[in-house]
Amino acid sequence: MKKTKAASETIAVPQSTQPLKARIFKNWQLYAMLLIPVVLTVIYKYVPMYGIQIAFRDYKANRGITGSTWVGLKWFIQFFSSPNCGRMIANTFLLSLYSLLWSFPIPIILALIINQLRFKRLKRVTQTVLYAPHFISTMVVCGMIRIFLSPSGGLINLIAGTSIDFLSEASAFRTIYIASGIWQDAGWGIIVYLATLSNIDMSNYEAAKIDGASMFQRIMAIDLPELKPTIVLMLIMSAGNLMNIGFEKVWLLQTDLNKATSDVIAVYVYQQGIENAKYSYATAVGLFNTVVNIILLIVVNKLAKKMSDDVSFV
């Protein structure tokens, strides 16, 4: 007798229902590759967390971490009692917030514009021109800023016919920081959005053109819905670093006259920890900054869940 079709067919067992040991044995190459970044993450990200406890100790290098005296919240109280604490927190938050508000939409807009270009050579040249500033070091960028804004012979002053020392103006520091950041990083930020837009089926655009949709209508009806999950994900990631200001640029552009707006936590931690060797105090200030970042990340993630059900971290 011939075997029936049902008897001869092999029933496929979903991989998710297989035992963990069987899945590891079957895909051991993938797990072996995954082991490398996991080990590196543990070594360089989690093991150093052991040193966080010096924020609660009066750390002395000759005594070691566990041998140093436990002082509890002493350094946190000292930081919150310092006269410049409020100014530093406000400057850090406002500089990060303004950078996010101005810098975040630019890559999205650029990606939408570049995606509409139909000449491949022009598209590649435009992308290259926009990417290039990202590969310039922060040191060089700050040197260029100082040259362009120089009160004697600077390009901006030559165009405006003035001799203003912009870096000495506290009111101009945030504009300089944000504008230079957009010029340097906006082109690099469009990579993720262009990759998302490249997955759109071209037949959607053709159908929209047949229906008489304008370019703006195609962007609103096709491109933006496709980008929405990516935008929400990038927003969550950006919000997680809301209190993390790039130390190098602020440090290189800071002067005694613009400290009213450039005095941020990252620079203060460097000054106290490296220059003044106050390791416990600097660790406490940095830990406070990290906790605020975590709180902001959770809040933005909750808001993102209401905006989009497709993307969230927790």
Side-chain angles (χ1 to χ4, degrees):
M1 293 178 62
K2 293 184 179 181
K3 293 183 179 179
T4 61
K5 185 177 180 181
S8 61
E9 289 181 347
T10 303
I11 300 176
V13 179
Q15 189 171 355
S16 59
T17 61
Q18 296 177 0
L20 177 60
K21 187 180 295 185
R23 295 202 303 270
I24 294 176
F25 180 77
K26 183 178 180 180
N27 304 299
W28 67 269
Q29 299 95 334
L30 297 177
Y31 284 97
M33 292 177 61
L34 180 63
L35 187 62
I36 297 174
V38 169
V39 171
L40 290 176
T41 301
V42 171
I43 293 175
Y44 292 105
K45 296 296 183 180
Y46 287 94
V47 172
M49 288 184 181
Y50 174 78
I52 290 178
Q53 60 179 298
I54 70 174
F56 305 94
R57 295 180 181 272
D58 185 11
Y59 176 71
K60 303 295 182 183
N62 58 345
R63 296 180 183 176
I65 295 178
T66 56
S68 300
T69 307
W70 183 272
V71 295
L73 299 177
K74 174 184 175 181
W75 306 119
F76 294 93
I77 296 173
Q78 182 175 328
F79 171 65
F80 292 127
S81 302
S82 62
N84 294 329
C85 173
R87 185 179 75 176
M88 285 186 293
I89 295 175
N91 286 340
T92 303
F93 180 77
L94 290 176
L95 195 57
S96 298
L97 181 61
Y98 292 155
S99 296
L100 180 62
L101 292 177
W102 285 99
S103 303
F104 187 77
I106 300 299
I108 302 173
I109 296 171
L110 289 174
L112 292 172
I113 294 174
I114 292 175
N115 189 58
Q116 296 301 320
L117 298 177
R118 291 295 171 255
F119 297 100
K120 292 185 178 180
R121 181 172 296 180
L122 176 60
K123 193 173 183 178
R124 288 197 297 267
V125 171
T126 304
Q127 290 176 0
T128 302
V129 171
L130 292 174
Y131 294 164
H134 177 78
F135 299 98
I136 303 175
S137 69
T138 304
M139 177 72 75
V140 175
V141 170
C142 291
M144 294 169 62
I145 292 172
R146 288 187 174 276
I147 293 173
F148 291 151
L149 300 181
S150 173
S152 57
L155 179 62
I156 304 301
N157 281 304
L158 288 176
I159 295 174
T162 58
S163 58
I164 302 173
D165 188 0
F166 291 99
L167 289 177
S168 297
E169 299 287 337
S171 58
F173 179 82
R174 288 173 184 159
T175 302
I176 295 170
Y177 181 92
I178 296 169
S180 61
I182 292 174
W183 172 75
Q184 187 176 15
D185 297 324
W188 185 256
I190 70 177
I191 293 177
V192 176
Y193 300 113
L194 283 177
T196 303
L197 291 172
S198 65
N199 294 324
I200 299 177
D201 190 349
M202 295 301 296
S203 61
N204 293 336
Y205 294 113
E206 296 171 0
K209 288 180 181 179
I210 294 173
D211 291 339
S214 64
M215 180 183 296
F216 179 76
Q217 290 173 330
R218 293 196 299 269
I219 290 174
M220 297 300 295
I222 301 174
D223 293 344
L224 285 180
E226 185 73 19
L227 283 178
K228 183 180 178 181
T230 304
I231 292 173
V232 174
L233 178 62
M234 298 301 290
L235 178 62
I236 295 173
M237 295 175 64
S238 299
N241 293 316
L242 195 59
M243 291 291 287
N244 284 340
I245 288 293
F247 158 76
E248 296 88 354
K249 186 185 289 187
V250 177
W251 175 253
L252 293 170
L253 296 179
Q254 189 179 73
T255 65
D256 292 335
L257 298 177
N258 64 21
K259 279 194 172 182
T261 54
S262 67
D263 198 11
V264 297
I265 292 177
V267 174
Y268 185 70
V269 169
Y270 171 81
Q271 292 172 336
Q272 297 300 317
I274 304 300
E275 294 183 354
N276 299 332
K278 297 180 179 179
Y279 304 115
S280 294
Y281 182 63
T283 303
V285 177
L287 182 59
F288 159 74
N289 195 43
T290 302
V291 171
V292 173
N293 270 329
I294 294 174
I295 295 173
L296 289 172
L297 177 62
I298 294 173
V299 171
V300 173
N301 184 71
K302 296 296 183 183
L303 295 175
K305 278 187 176 180
K306 297 181 178 180
M307 295 171 55
S308 174
D309 296 330
D310 300 330
V311 180
S312 63
F313 284 156
V314 292

